[in-house]
Amino acid sequence: MHRRADASVALLLVVIAATVGILVSRQQPVVPPPDDPPGPAPRTLLVQLRDSRLLAQGSVIMGVEKDSRLANLWWTGQWWIDQIGVQEVSAAELGRKPVPYLVDTVQNQLGVRVDDAWVLDRLAFAGLVDAVSGVRLEIPQVTVYVTDDDTTAVLPAGMRTLAGAQAADYVLDASLVDEQARLQRFQAVWDQIVRRFPTDPDKARTLVVSLGALSKATMPAEQLAVLLADAHDLRITGDYDEVQVALDGQNAVRVRPAQGVRRAYALDPFATARRLSRVFDGFAGPDEPVARVASVVIRSEAVPEIRSQLSTRSWRSAWGGRAITSSTTVTVDPSVPAAQVVTLEQALGITPGKDPVPLAEARVAVAADAADPVGS
């Protein structure tokens, strides 16, 4: 009898366990994994070359989509990129600014988030060129340039291999007044660096680390080396496109104090937006909405006040150069959520109109007579 009772109890326990298992499985259904797990997110790296005066003489944003494409965005030092009080800030002057300011200012202007930055001085840039065994360039005509020690050097026309110091001096040439020509030199050298960058992880990391404190990156050396190796692969396979920031030739200012460039031009948002949509489609933008602020009087005290008010309502701002308007107006893009429109109106005390705004979520045009530009 005892054996039968024990067997019955055991059978009952098995039935109970099976029933509980069925109930639990019904309450917690198994979710199958996605068929195509998401790949690595696209990354952007802002590279800046600074001269001995700390002026930025070469700038590019590399957008890297692993196993997909490499996008490059270039600009010259003549970009009138910001206004701080009574001082115009050209893109050349950005070399003298802290890296966080550089990153925020550029991404607010372009609507493309800058994930990291890599700043190199002349010696670091020369060391980078030497580390990839020099760069081979097509020199279109006999070129005379000024070296770092203020002597004159000559490059004969034709295909030439430049060592690090030569390449750095060729780009940073103090006698060069054509900023578009400087950009073309930087483009040619940087393209060769990317093409020759090592893809072996240990060699790539060793190269980056060897530059030491002369180069400053906002990401660890290992990650920087991997990103540059990925950029190399995409450049070699031809999955590559590039574009240049478009500047408005009618929206200009004489730069004071001198910043390596004498005249700077505000960004042309319409032309630049068209170019970026073709090359940087799919890359993330700033986390917060951006208002582009332009003013009839560029040194008006109203401008920093308005930008400060925008900041208190979680709106970023970008400098838009000169404006033509008889009254201070606010235009918001139709795609902006209603809640953000409300915060914009609260910040400025002006009811915004609606119209497409390129490279920003709103545009603020500050009139010449703006004694009380911000609503109270």
Side-chain angles (χ1 to χ4, degrees), residues 136 150 334 344:
R136 190 164 174 77
D150 206 28
L344 180 66

Side-chain angles (χ1 to χ4, degrees), residues 67-82:
D67 300 327
S68 179
R69 65 187 175 120
L70 170 65
N72 276 1
L73 174 64
W74 315 86
W75 60 87
T76 68
Q78 290 175 298
W79 181 4
W80 183 14
I81 200 168
D82 207 354

Side-chain angles (χ1 to χ4, degrees), residues 51-52 122-123 145-151 165 168-170 172-174:
D51 66 11
S52 58
R122 176 187 175 277
L123 290 178
Y145 63 96
V146 175
T147 68
D148 183 60
D149 59 5
D150 206 28
T151 60
D169 289 340
Y170 178 63
L172 298 176
D173 180 7

